[in-house]
Amino acid sequence: MRPLIAGNWKMHGLNADLHEIDSIAALAARTQPHVDILICPPASLLAAAARIAADRIAVGGQDCSPEASGAHTGDISAEMLKDAGAGAVIVGHSERRQHHGETDALVFSKALAARRAGLLAVICVGETQEQHASGAALSICGDQIVASVPLGMRAFGLAIGYEPLWAIGSGQMPTSQEIVQMHAHIRRRLVEHLGAEGKNVRILYGGSVKPSNARAILALPEVGGALVGGASLKSAEFAAILACAPQEGATIAAE
Ligand code: PEP
């Protein structure tokens, strides 16, 4: 299983920042053939980013509508992302769940849309600080997996982003033991839900990943990559994270 390192630019980036994508793609082609690299810029930059990436790395959307087209002002469909050059889309990011009231059922329908359009769906799950403190994290995230991941999803079309909400952009992190426990739990729930296909789905850790902690995180069992926010905006910092990715086959413990 090749590690996947995905950068989520969120609502950051103008045309003047596209050179960061060129730098990452150039570096990836030279030094990181064993890593799948994905950058998700804002939708306004997607087509230009895809042209610059020129298949050296993948680019993706940060969200999509469940619908293919129609009267949905301001929304963008998975088909439109694909048409703009995307190979993937993040769905169910906690900022969408929190700030836009997205439910598991909506995330599920967006994941179906991603599959319909032939995009890799990066489905995010994660617990709040309160849920973490009360010991409910495993059950919350396990339930989100079952309710957000459509049956029949294939491993090549799906990645899970485990992002504890309290770790996003905060500099706080779960312990290594907590990450291992959560990723093993997500793996079990995926296998229960998807059968053997669930064994090969990459489970990314996200939340305050930086060059200083990436090597330790990416070496943990069942951590199949990382979803990186702030540290993906500058190519030098993102490149330092990419350099921490283990060689193919070194990360994923057999279930
Ligand atoms: C994210 O929002 O997906 C994220 C992981 O952000 P950060 O790396 O900045 O914590």
Side-chain angles (χ1 to χ4, degrees), residues 9 12-27 39-54 56-60 62 84 232-236:
W9 280 18
H12 297 288
L14 299 172
N15 275 297
D17 300 302
L18 284 168
H19 65 95
E20 302 288 354
I21 291 188
D22 187 44
S23 301
I24 292 164
L27 175 109
I39 297 285
C40 299
S44 56
L45 294 182
L46 190 56
R51 276 193 294 278
I52 288 170
R56 295 175 294 172
I57 62 173
V59 298
Q62 299 176 9
S232 70
L233 293 171
K234 294 289 172 211
S235 53

PDB file of all heavy atoms in Angstrom, residues 9 12-27 39-54 56-60 62 84 232-236:
ATOM      1  N   TRP A   9      -5.704  22.833   1.248  1.00  0.00           N
ATOM      2  CA  TRP A   9      -5.416  24.278   1.328  1.00  0.00           C
ATOM      3  C   TRP A   9      -6.553  25.075   1.956  1.00  0.00           C
ATOM      4  O   TRP A   9      -6.402  26.251   2.229  1.00  0.00           O
ATOM      5  CB  TRP A   9      -5.118  24.824  -0.082  1.00  0.00           C
ATOM      6  CG  TRP A   9      -3.724  24.561  -0.548  1.00  0.00           C
ATOM      7  CD1 TRP A   9      -2.841  23.651  -0.047  1.00  0.00           C
ATOM      8  CD2 TRP A   9      -3.032  25.236  -1.614  1.00  0.00           C
ATOM      9  NE1 TRP A   9      -1.653  23.713  -0.725  1.00  0.00           N
ATOM     10  CE2 TRP A   9      -1.752  24.675  -1.692  1.00  0.00           C
ATOM     11  CE3 TRP A   9      -3.389  26.239  -2.519  1.00  0.00           C
ATOM     12  CZ2 TRP A   9      -0.803  25.088  -2.632  1.00  0.00           C
ATOM     13  CZ3 TRP A   9      -2.455  26.652  -3.460  1.00  0.00           C
ATOM     14  CH2 TRP A   9      -1.167  26.089  -3.511  1.00  0.00           C
ATOM     15  N   HIS A  12      -7.534  29.067   1.258  1.00  0.00           N
ATOM     16  CA  HIS A  12      -6.283  29.807   1.114  1.00  0.00           C
ATOM     17  C   HIS A  12      -5.802  29.629  -0.314  1.00  0.00           C
ATOM     18  O   HIS A  12      -5.894  28.532  -0.863  1.00  0.00           O
ATOM     19  CB  HIS A  12      -5.196  29.249   2.045  1.00  0.00           C
ATOM     20  CG  HIS A  12      -5.521  29.372   3.498  1.00  0.00           C
ATOM     21  ND1 HIS A  12      -5.515  30.572   4.180  1.00  0.00           N
ATOM     22  CD2 HIS A  12      -5.861  28.431   4.417  1.00  0.00           C
ATOM     23  CE1 HIS A  12      -5.834  30.367   5.450  1.00  0.00           C
ATOM     24  NE2 HIS A  12      -6.061  29.076   5.618  1.00  0.00           N
ATOM     25  N   GLY A  13      -5.216  30.668  -0.870  1.00  0.00           N
ATOM     26  CA  GLY A  13      -4.551  30.514  -2.154  1.00  0.00           C
ATOM     27  C   GLY A  13      -5.159  31.353  -3.256  1.00  0.00           C
ATOM     28  O   GLY A  13      -6.373  31.370  -3.468  1.00  0.00           O
ATOM     29  N   LEU A  14      -4.270  32.058  -3.942  1.00  0.00           N
ATOM     30  CA  LEU A  14      -4.619  32.843  -5.127  1.00  0.00           C
ATOM     31  C   LEU A  14      -3.736  32.346  -6.273  1.00  0.00           C
ATOM     32  O   LEU A  14      -2.829  31.530  -6.062  1.00  0.00           O
ATOM     33  CB  LEU A  14      -4.354  34.335  -4.862  1.00  0.00           C
ATOM     34  CG  LEU A  14      -5.157  34.947  -3.698  1.00  0.00           C
ATOM     35  CD1 LEU A  14      -4.667  36.366  -3.396  1.00  0.00           C
ATOM     36  CD2 LEU A  14      -6.653  34.940  -3.990  1.00  0.00           C
ATOM     37  N   ASN A  15      -3.974  32.864  -7.461  1.00  0.00           N
ATOM     38  CA  ASN A  15      -3.136  32.453  -8.592  1.00  0.00           C
ATOM     39  C   ASN A  15      -1.649  32.593  -8.282  1.00  0.00           C
ATOM     40  O   ASN A  15      -0.840  31.772  -8.713  1.00  0.00           O
ATOM     41  CB  ASN A  15      -3.480  33.293  -9.824  1.00  0.00           C
ATOM     42  CG  ASN A  15      -4.666  32.707 -10.562  1.00  0.00           C
ATOM     43  OD1 ASN A  15      -4.602  31.583 -11.059  1.00  0.00           O
ATOM     44  ND2 ASN A  15      -5.767  33.438 -10.619  1.00  0.00           N
ATOM     45  N   ALA A  16      -1.319  33.631  -7.519  1.00  0.00           N
ATOM     46  CA  ALA A  16       0.089  33.891  -7.197  1.00  0.00           C
ATOM     47  C   ALA A  16       0.721  32.763  -6.379  1.00  0.00           C
ATOM     48  O   ALA A  16       1.948  32.696  -6.261  1.00  0.00           O
ATOM     49  CB  ALA A  16       0.205  35.208  -6.432  1.00  0.00           C
ATOM     50  N   ASP A  17      -0.108  31.884  -5.811  1.00  0.00           N
ATOM     51  CA  ASP A  17       0.421  30.792  -4.980  1.00  0.00           C
ATOM     52  C   ASP A  17       0.589  29.482  -5.750  1.00  0.00           C
ATOM     53  O   ASP A  17       1.059  28.485  -5.187  1.00  0.00           O
ATOM     54  CB  ASP A  17      -0.515  30.563  -3.785  1.00  0.00           C
ATOM     55  CG  ASP A  17      -0.638  31.811  -2.941  1.00  0.00           C
ATOM     56  OD1 ASP A  17       0.407  32.289  -2.466  1.00  0.00           O
ATOM     57  OD2 ASP A  17      -1.771  32.326  -2.796  1.00  0.00           O
ATOM     58  N   LEU A  18       0.210  29.476  -7.011  1.00  0.00           N
ATOM     59  CA  LEU A  18       0.252  28.218  -7.769  1.00  0.00           C
ATOM     60  C   LEU A  18       1.663  27.681  -7.955  1.00  0.00           C
ATOM     61  O   LEU A  18       1.861  26.489  -8.191  1.00  0.00           O
ATOM     62  CB  LEU A  18      -0.423  28.405  -9.134  1.00  0.00           C
ATOM     63  CG  LEU A  18      -1.958  28.447  -9.086  1.00  0.00           C
ATOM     64  CD1 LEU A  18      -2.524  28.933 -10.416  1.00  0.00           C
ATOM     65  CD2 LEU A  18      -2.519  27.077  -8.719  1.00  0.00           C
ATOM     66  N   HIS A  19       2.657  28.559  -7.833  1.00  0.00           N
ATOM     67  CA  HIS A  19       4.042  28.079  -7.977  1.00  0.00           C
ATOM     68  C   HIS A  19       4.371  27.051  -6.887  1.00  0.00           C
ATOM     69  O   HIS A  19       5.253  26.211  -7.065  1.00  0.00           O
ATOM     70  CB  HIS A  19       5.030  29.259  -7.928  1.00  0.00           C
ATOM     71  CG  HIS A  19       5.037  29.958  -6.604  1.00  0.00           C
ATOM     72  ND1 HIS A  19       5.948  29.652  -5.610  1.00  0.00           N
ATOM     73  CD2 HIS A  19       4.228  30.904  -6.090  1.00  0.00           C
ATOM     74  CE1 HIS A  19       5.690  30.404  -4.541  1.00  0.00           C
ATOM     75  NE2 HIS A  19       4.660  31.171  -4.822  1.00  0.00           N
ATOM     76  N   GLU A  20       3.638  27.099  -5.763  1.00  0.00           N
ATOM     77  CA  GLU A  20       3.881  26.100  -4.706  1.00  0.00           C
ATOM     78  C   GLU A  20       3.548  24.698  -5.233  1.00  0.00           C
ATOM     79  O   GLU A  20       4.212  23.724  -4.893  1.00  0.00           O
ATOM     80  CB  GLU A  20       3.006  26.396  -3.468  1.00  0.00           C
ATOM     81  CG  GLU A  20       3.192  27.764  -2.858  1.00  0.00           C
ATOM     82  CD  GLU A  20       4.531  27.932  -2.126  1.00  0.00           C
ATOM     83  OE1 GLU A  20       5.291  26.954  -1.989  1.00  0.00           O
ATOM     84  OE2 GLU A  20       4.806  29.073  -1.701  1.00  0.00           O
ATOM     85  N   ILE A  21       2.523  24.620  -6.066  1.00  0.00           N
ATOM     86  CA  ILE A  21       2.129  23.319  -6.624  1.00  0.00           C
ATOM     87  C   ILE A  21       3.187  22.837  -7.612  1.00  0.00           C
ATOM     88  O   ILE A  21       3.559  21.666  -7.637  1.00  0.00           O
ATOM     89  CB  ILE A  21       0.729  23.419  -7.267  1.00  0.00           C
ATOM     90  CG1 ILE A  21      -0.276  23.618  -6.133  1.00  0.00           C
ATOM     91  CG2 ILE A  21       0.404  22.197  -8.139  1.00  0.00           C
ATOM     92  CD1 ILE A  21      -1.711  23.561  -6.500  1.00  0.00           C
ATOM     93  N   ASP A  22       3.701  23.764  -8.391  1.00  0.00           N
ATOM     94  CA  ASP A  22       4.762  23.385  -9.324  1.00  0.00           C
ATOM     95  C   ASP A  22       5.985  22.875  -8.552  1.00  0.00           C
ATOM     96  O   ASP A  22       6.588  21.861  -8.917  1.00  0.00           O
ATOM     97  CB  ASP A  22       5.136  24.575 -10.203  1.00  0.00           C
ATOM     98  CG  ASP A  22       6.105  24.180 -11.293  1.00  0.00           C
ATOM     99  OD1 ASP A  22       5.882  23.111 -11.913  1.00  0.00           O
ATOM    100  OD2 ASP A  22       7.098  24.894 -11.505  1.00  0.00           O
ATOM    101  N   SER A  23       6.335  23.545  -7.476  1.00  0.00           N
ATOM    102  CA  SER A  23       7.513  23.123  -6.692  1.00  0.00           C
ATOM    103  C   SER A  23       7.299  21.727  -6.114  1.00  0.00           C
ATOM    104  O   SER A  23       8.194  20.885  -6.150  1.00  0.00           O
ATOM    105  CB  SER A  23       7.764  24.076  -5.519  1.00  0.00           C
ATOM    106  OG  SER A  23       7.962  25.358  -5.991  1.00  0.00           O
ATOM    107  N   ILE A  24       6.091  21.494  -5.560  1.00  0.00           N
ATOM    108  CA  ILE A  24       5.825  20.174  -4.968  1.00  0.00           C
ATOM    109  C   ILE A  24       5.866  19.097  -6.050  1.00  0.00           C
ATOM    110  O   ILE A  24       6.444  18.029  -5.868  1.00  0.00           O
ATOM    111  CB  ILE A  24       4.451  20.171  -4.256  1.00  0.00           C
ATOM    112  CG1 ILE A  24       4.517  21.067  -3.024  1.00  0.00           C
ATOM    113  CG2 ILE A  24       4.043  18.756  -3.865  1.00  0.00           C
ATOM    114  CD1 ILE A  24       3.154  21.435  -2.467  1.00  0.00           C
ATOM    115  N   ALA A  25       5.243  19.399  -7.193  1.00  0.00           N
ATOM    116  CA  ALA A  25       5.197  18.404  -8.270  1.00  0.00           C
ATOM    117  C   ALA A  25       6.596  18.108  -8.802  1.00  0.00           C
ATOM    118  O   ALA A  25       6.925  16.943  -9.079  1.00  0.00           O
ATOM    119  CB  ALA A  25       4.290  18.903  -9.390  1.00  0.00           C
ATOM    120  N   ALA A  26       7.423  19.110  -8.904  1.00  0.00           N
ATOM    121  CA  ALA A  26       8.777  18.903  -9.415  1.00  0.00           C
ATOM    122  C   ALA A  26       9.569  18.041  -8.445  1.00  0.00           C
ATOM    123  O   ALA A  26      10.260  17.090  -8.834  1.00  0.00           O
ATOM    124  CB  ALA A  26       9.471  20.246  -9.620  1.00  0.00           C
ATOM    125  N   LEU A  27       9.420  18.346  -7.174  1.00  0.00           N
ATOM    126  CA  LEU A  27      10.140  17.595  -6.168  1.00  0.00           C
ATOM    127  C   LEU A  27       9.634  16.153  -6.102  1.00  0.00           C
ATOM    128  O   LEU A  27      10.408  15.204  -6.005  1.00  0.00           O
ATOM    129  CB  LEU A  27       9.933  18.266  -4.808  1.00  0.00           C
ATOM    130  CG  LEU A  27      10.554  17.488  -3.681  1.00  0.00           C
ATOM    131  CD1 LEU A  27      11.773  18.251  -3.185  1.00  0.00           C
ATOM    132  CD2 LEU A  27       9.573  17.248  -2.571  1.00  0.00           C
ATOM    133  N   ILE A  39      -2.938  17.440  -3.723  1.00  0.00           N
ATOM    134  CA  ILE A  39      -3.149  18.790  -3.197  1.00  0.00           C
ATOM    135  C   ILE A  39      -4.585  19.200  -3.528  1.00  0.00           C
ATOM    136  O   ILE A  39      -5.009  19.100  -4.688  1.00  0.00           O
ATOM    137  CB  ILE A  39      -2.177  19.813  -3.831  1.00  0.00           C
ATOM    138  CG1 ILE A  39      -0.731  19.483  -3.487  1.00  0.00           C
ATOM    139  CG2 ILE A  39      -2.526  21.235  -3.364  1.00  0.00           C
ATOM    140  CD1 ILE A  39      -0.313  19.814  -2.075  1.00  0.00           C
ATOM    141  N   CYS A  40      -5.290  19.658  -2.522  1.00  0.00           N
ATOM    142  CA  CYS A  40      -6.671  20.122  -2.714  1.00  0.00           C
ATOM    143  C   CYS A  40      -6.707  21.632  -2.515  1.00  0.00           C
ATOM    144  O   CYS A  40      -6.857  22.125  -1.391  1.00  0.00           O
ATOM    145  CB  CYS A  40      -7.605  19.421  -1.729  1.00  0.00           C
ATOM    146  SG  CYS A  40      -7.618  17.627  -1.938  1.00  0.00           S
ATOM    147  N   PRO A  41      -6.561  22.380  -3.603  1.00  0.00           N
ATOM    148  CA  PRO A  41      -6.620  23.841  -3.507  1.00  0.00           C
ATOM    149  C   PRO A  41      -8.076  24.280  -3.500  1.00  0.00           C
ATOM    150  O   PRO A  41      -8.979  23.463  -3.707  1.00  0.00           O
ATOM    151  CB  PRO A  41      -5.929  24.279  -4.812  1.00  0.00           C
ATOM    152  CG  PRO A  41      -6.268  23.198  -5.783  1.00  0.00           C
ATOM    153  CD  PRO A  41      -6.405  21.919  -4.984  1.00  0.00           C
ATOM    154  N   PRO A  42      -8.346  25.562  -3.295  1.00  0.00           N
ATOM    155  CA  PRO A  42      -9.738  26.025  -3.448  1.00  0.00           C
ATOM    156  C   PRO A  42     -10.209  25.778  -4.875  1.00  0.00           C
ATOM    157  O   PRO A  42      -9.399  25.713  -5.811  1.00  0.00           O
ATOM    158  CB  PRO A  42      -9.661  27.519  -3.122  1.00  0.00           C
ATOM    159  CG  PRO A  42      -8.226  27.886  -3.118  1.00  0.00           C
ATOM    160  CD  PRO A  42      -7.429  26.647  -2.928  1.00  0.00           C
ATOM    161  N   ALA A  43     -11.517  25.642  -5.046  1.00  0.00           N
ATOM    162  CA  ALA A  43     -12.075  25.300  -6.366  1.00  0.00           C
ATOM    163  C   ALA A  43     -11.669  26.313  -7.433  1.00  0.00           C
ATOM    164  O   ALA A  43     -11.507  25.960  -8.610  1.00  0.00           O
ATOM    165  CB  ALA A  43     -13.595  25.215  -6.267  1.00  0.00           C
ATOM    166  N   SER A  44     -11.473  27.563  -7.013  1.00  0.00           N
ATOM    167  CA  SER A  44     -11.104  28.613  -7.981  1.00  0.00           C
ATOM    168  C   SER A  44      -9.758  28.324  -8.655  1.00  0.00           C
ATOM    169  O   SER A  44      -9.505  28.818  -9.755  1.00  0.00           O
ATOM    170  CB  SER A  44     -11.039  29.966  -7.274  1.00  0.00           C
ATOM    171  OG  SER A  44     -10.130  29.887  -6.183  1.00  0.00           O
ATOM    172  N   LEU A  45      -8.908  27.543  -7.999  1.00  0.00           N
ATOM    173  CA  LEU A  45      -7.564  27.284  -8.541  1.00  0.00           C
ATOM    174  C   LEU A  45      -7.427  25.884  -9.130  1.00  0.00           C
ATOM    175  O   LEU A  45      -6.354  25.523  -9.619  1.00  0.00           O
ATOM    176  CB  LEU A  45      -6.511  27.440  -7.431  1.00  0.00           C
ATOM    177  CG  LEU A  45      -6.323  28.831  -6.843  1.00  0.00           C
ATOM    178  CD1 LEU A  45      -5.212  28.812  -5.787  1.00  0.00           C
ATOM    179  CD2 LEU A  45      -5.987  29.848  -7.934  1.00  0.00           C
ATOM    180  N   LEU A  46      -8.507  25.110  -9.058  1.00  0.00           N
ATOM    181  CA  LEU A  46      -8.363  23.686  -9.372  1.00  0.00           C
ATOM    182  C   LEU A  46      -7.877  23.433 -10.800  1.00  0.00           C
ATOM    183  O   LEU A  46      -6.925  22.662 -11.019  1.00  0.00           O
ATOM    184  CB  LEU A  46      -9.698  22.973  -9.119  1.00  0.00           C
ATOM    185  CG  LEU A  46      -9.661  21.460  -9.163  1.00  0.00           C
ATOM    186  CD1 LEU A  46      -8.645  20.892  -8.186  1.00  0.00           C
ATOM    187  CD2 LEU A  46     -11.044  20.929  -8.820  1.00  0.00           C
ATOM    188  N   ALA A  47      -8.516  24.063 -11.775  1.00  0.00           N
ATOM    189  CA  ALA A  47      -8.140  23.780 -13.173  1.00  0.00           C
ATOM    190  C   ALA A  47      -6.707  24.214 -13.440  1.00  0.00           C
ATOM    191  O   ALA A  47      -5.925  23.484 -14.075  1.00  0.00           O
ATOM    192  CB  ALA A  47      -9.113  24.477 -14.125  1.00  0.00           C
ATOM    193  N   ALA A  48      -6.335  25.382 -12.926  1.00  0.00           N
ATOM    194  CA  ALA A  48      -4.961  25.850 -13.129  1.00  0.00           C
ATOM    195  C   ALA A  48      -3.978  24.937 -12.407  1.00  0.00           C
ATOM    196  O   ALA A  48      -2.902  24.604 -12.937  1.00  0.00           O
ATOM    197  CB  ALA A  48      -4.818  27.285 -12.640  1.00  0.00           C
ATOM    198  N   ALA A  49      -4.357  24.503 -11.211  1.00  0.00           N
ATOM    199  CA  ALA A  49      -3.485  23.607 -10.448  1.00  0.00           C
ATOM    200  C   ALA A  49      -3.288  22.288 -11.189  1.00  0.00           C
ATOM    201  O   ALA A  49      -2.177  21.741 -11.232  1.00  0.00           O
ATOM    202  CB  ALA A  49      -4.077  23.353  -9.062  1.00  0.00           C
ATOM    203  N   ALA A  50      -4.372  21.786 -11.792  1.00  0.00           N
ATOM    204  CA  ALA A  50      -4.277  20.519 -12.535  1.00  0.00           C
ATOM    205  C   ALA A  50      -3.348  20.673 -13.737  1.00  0.00           C
ATOM    206  O   ALA A  50      -2.557  19.772 -14.051  1.00  0.00           O
ATOM    207  CB  ALA A  50      -5.666  20.074 -12.983  1.00  0.00           C
ATOM    208  N   ARG A  51      -3.442  21.825 -14.404  1.00  0.00           N
ATOM    209  CA  ARG A  51      -2.555  22.046 -15.562  1.00  0.00           C
ATOM    210  C   ARG A  51      -1.095  22.087 -15.110  1.00  0.00           C
ATOM    211  O   ARG A  51      -0.225  21.495 -15.733  1.00  0.00           O
ATOM    212  CB  ARG A  51      -2.911  23.359 -16.274  1.00  0.00           C
ATOM    213  CG  ARG A  51      -4.049  23.215 -17.283  1.00  0.00           C
ATOM    214  CD  ARG A  51      -4.166  24.431 -18.184  1.00  0.00           C
ATOM    215  NE  ARG A  51      -4.549  25.634 -17.470  1.00  0.00           N
ATOM    216  CZ  ARG A  51      -5.805  25.955 -17.132  1.00  0.00           C
ATOM    217  NH1 ARG A  51      -6.812  25.161 -17.449  1.00  0.00           N
ATOM    218  NH2 ARG A  51      -6.075  27.070 -16.480  1.00  0.00           N
ATOM    219  N   ILE A  52      -0.857  22.745 -13.997  1.00  0.00           N
ATOM    220  CA  ILE A  52       0.522  22.862 -13.506  1.00  0.00           C
ATOM    221  C   ILE A  52       1.032  21.509 -13.003  1.00  0.00           C
ATOM    222  O   ILE A  52       2.173  21.125 -13.251  1.00  0.00           O
ATOM    223  CB  ILE A  52       0.591  23.931 -12.393  1.00  0.00           C
ATOM    224  CG1 ILE A  52       0.426  25.314 -13.020  1.00  0.00           C
ATOM    225  CG2 ILE A  52       1.886  23.845 -11.606  1.00  0.00           C
ATOM    226  CD1 ILE A  52       0.242  26.433 -12.040  1.00  0.00           C
ATOM    227  N   ALA A  53       0.173  20.789 -12.304  1.00  0.00           N
ATOM    228  CA  ALA A  53       0.590  19.479 -11.774  1.00  0.00           C
ATOM    229  C   ALA A  53       0.911  18.512 -12.906  1.00  0.00           C
ATOM    230  O   ALA A  53       1.815  17.680 -12.783  1.00  0.00           O
ATOM    231  CB  ALA A  53      -0.502  18.913 -10.875  1.00  0.00           C
ATOM    232  N   ALA A  54       0.176  18.628 -13.992  1.00  0.00           N
ATOM    233  CA  ALA A  54       0.428  17.841 -15.205  1.00  0.00           C
ATOM    234  C   ALA A  54       0.697  16.367 -14.891  1.00  0.00           C
ATOM    235  O   ALA A  54       1.666  15.776 -15.357  1.00  0.00           O
ATOM    236  CB  ALA A  54       1.616  18.450 -15.970  1.00  0.00           C
ATOM    237  N   ARG A  56       1.950  14.961 -12.492  1.00  0.00           N
ATOM    238  CA  ARG A  56       3.086  14.609 -11.624  1.00  0.00           C
ATOM    239  C   ARG A  56       2.584  14.340 -10.211  1.00  0.00           C
ATOM    240  O   ARG A  56       3.109  13.482  -9.504  1.00  0.00           O
ATOM    241  CB  ARG A  56       4.119  15.744 -11.622  1.00  0.00           C
ATOM    242  CG  ARG A  56       4.783  15.958 -12.988  1.00  0.00           C
ATOM    243  CD  ARG A  56       5.706  17.152 -12.966  1.00  0.00           C
ATOM    244  NE  ARG A  56       4.956  18.403 -12.770  1.00  0.00           N
ATOM    245  CZ  ARG A  56       5.516  19.596 -12.564  1.00  0.00           C
ATOM    246  NH1 ARG A  56       6.838  19.705 -12.493  1.00  0.00           N
ATOM    247  NH2 ARG A  56       4.771  20.676 -12.409  1.00  0.00           N
ATOM    248  N   ILE A  57       1.584  15.082  -9.783  1.00  0.00           N
ATOM    249  CA  ILE A  57       0.867  14.814  -8.532  1.00  0.00           C
ATOM    250  C   ILE A  57      -0.623  14.970  -8.843  1.00  0.00           C
ATOM    251  O   ILE A  57      -0.975  15.510  -9.895  1.00  0.00           O
ATOM    252  CB  ILE A  57       1.261  15.782  -7.394  1.00  0.00           C
ATOM    253  CG1 ILE A  57       0.907  17.232  -7.758  1.00  0.00           C
ATOM    254  CG2 ILE A  57       2.742  15.665  -7.053  1.00  0.00           C
ATOM    255  CD1 ILE A  57       1.108  18.207  -6.603  1.00  0.00           C
ATOM    256  N   ALA A  58      -1.467  14.490  -7.931  1.00  0.00           N
ATOM    257  CA  ALA A  58      -2.917  14.637  -8.151  1.00  0.00           C
ATOM    258  C   ALA A  58      -3.404  15.918  -7.473  1.00  0.00           C
ATOM    259  O   ALA A  58      -2.821  16.384  -6.489  1.00  0.00           O
ATOM    260  CB  ALA A  58      -3.643  13.431  -7.566  1.00  0.00           C
ATOM    261  N   VAL A  59      -4.474  16.459  -8.023  1.00  0.00           N
ATOM    262  CA  VAL A  59      -5.145  17.577  -7.362  1.00  0.00           C
ATOM    263  C   VAL A  59      -6.598  17.152  -7.105  1.00  0.00           C
ATOM    264  O   VAL A  59      -7.119  16.267  -7.785  1.00  0.00           O
ATOM    265  CB  VAL A  59      -5.096  18.881  -8.190  1.00  0.00           C
ATOM    266  CG1 VAL A  59      -3.667  19.350  -8.395  1.00  0.00           C
ATOM    267  CG2 VAL A  59      -5.815  18.733  -9.509  1.00  0.00           C
ATOM    268  N   GLY A  60      -7.201  17.793  -6.113  1.00  0.00           N
ATOM    269  CA  GLY A  60      -8.550  17.386  -5.766  1.00  0.00           C
ATOM    270  C   GLY A  60      -9.377  18.540  -5.243  1.00  0.00           C
ATOM    271  O   GLY A  60      -8.859  19.618  -4.938  1.00  0.00           O
ATOM    272  N   GLN A  62     -12.251  20.080  -2.376  1.00  0.00           N
ATOM    273  CA  GLN A  62     -12.383  20.047  -0.913  1.00  0.00           C
ATOM    274  C   GLN A  62     -13.792  19.658  -0.482  1.00  0.00           C
ATOM    275  O   GLN A  62     -14.053  19.478   0.711  1.00  0.00           O
ATOM    276  CB  GLN A  62     -12.044  21.420  -0.321  1.00  0.00           C
ATOM    277  CG  GLN A  62     -10.629  21.869  -0.599  1.00  0.00           C
ATOM    278  CD  GLN A  62     -10.362  23.272  -0.090  1.00  0.00           C
ATOM    279  OE1 GLN A  62     -11.175  23.856   0.617  1.00  0.00           O
ATOM    280  NE2 GLN A  62      -9.221  23.818  -0.448  1.00  0.00           N
ATOM    281  N   ALA A  84     -12.475  19.553 -14.262  1.00  0.00           N
ATOM    282  CA  ALA A  84     -11.431  20.564 -14.042  1.00  0.00           C
ATOM    283  C   ALA A  84     -10.054  19.928 -13.823  1.00  0.00           C
ATOM    284  O   ALA A  84      -9.066  20.642 -13.663  1.00  0.00           O
ATOM    285  CB  ALA A  84     -11.800  21.432 -12.846  1.00  0.00           C
ATOM    286  N   SER A 232       0.584  22.371   4.461  1.00  0.00           N
ATOM    287  CA  SER A 232       0.627  22.040   3.022  1.00  0.00           C
ATOM    288  C   SER A 232       0.695  23.297   2.155  1.00  0.00           C
ATOM    289  O   SER A 232       0.826  23.206   0.933  1.00  0.00           O
ATOM    290  CB  SER A 232      -0.595  21.202   2.624  1.00  0.00           C
ATOM    291  OG  SER A 232      -1.777  21.985   2.664  1.00  0.00           O
ATOM    292  N   LEU A 233       0.604  24.459   2.787  1.00  0.00           N
ATOM    293  CA  LEU A 233       0.493  25.691   1.994  1.00  0.00           C
ATOM    294  C   LEU A 233       1.819  26.131   1.388  1.00  0.00           C
ATOM    295  O   LEU A 233       1.829  26.813   0.355  1.00  0.00           O
ATOM    296  CB  LEU A 233      -0.073  26.822   2.865  1.00  0.00           C
ATOM    297  CG  LEU A 233      -1.518  26.638   3.324  1.00  0.00           C
ATOM    298  CD1 LEU A 233      -1.888  27.690   4.358  1.00  0.00           C
ATOM    299  CD2 LEU A 233      -2.467  26.708   2.133  1.00  0.00           C
ATOM    300  N   LYS A 234       2.892  25.786   2.039  1.00  0.00           N
ATOM    301  CA  LYS A 234       4.217  26.162   1.534  1.00  0.00           C
ATOM    302  C   LYS A 234       4.938  24.890   1.104  1.00  0.00           C
ATOM    303  O   LYS A 234       5.047  23.930   1.881  1.00  0.00           O
ATOM    304  CB  LYS A 234       5.021  26.886   2.629  1.00  0.00           C
ATOM    305  CG  LYS A 234       4.414  28.236   3.005  1.00  0.00           C
ATOM    306  CD  LYS A 234       4.601  29.272   1.882  1.00  0.00           C
ATOM    307  CE  LYS A 234       3.836  30.539   2.151  1.00  0.00           C
ATOM    308  NZ  LYS A 234       3.355  31.231   0.968  1.00  0.00           N
ATOM    309  N   SER A 235       5.446  24.909  -0.116  1.00  0.00           N
ATOM    310  CA  SER A 235       6.035  23.685  -0.674  1.00  0.00           C
ATOM    311  C   SER A 235       7.194  23.176   0.175  1.00  0.00           C
ATOM    312  O   SER A 235       7.371  21.964   0.318  1.00  0.00           O
ATOM    313  CB  SER A 235       6.471  23.903  -2.115  1.00  0.00           C
ATOM    314  OG  SER A 235       7.316  25.021  -2.205  1.00  0.00           O
ATOM    315  N   ALA A 236       7.977  24.072   0.759  1.00  0.00           N
ATOM    316  CA  ALA A 236       9.144  23.601   1.526  1.00  0.00           C
ATOM    317  C   ALA A 236       8.688  22.795   2.739  1.00  0.00           C
ATOM    318  O   ALA A 236       9.250  21.723   3.038  1.00  0.00           O
ATOM    319  CB  ALA A 236       9.997  24.791   1.964  1.00  0.00           C
TER     320      ALA A 236
END
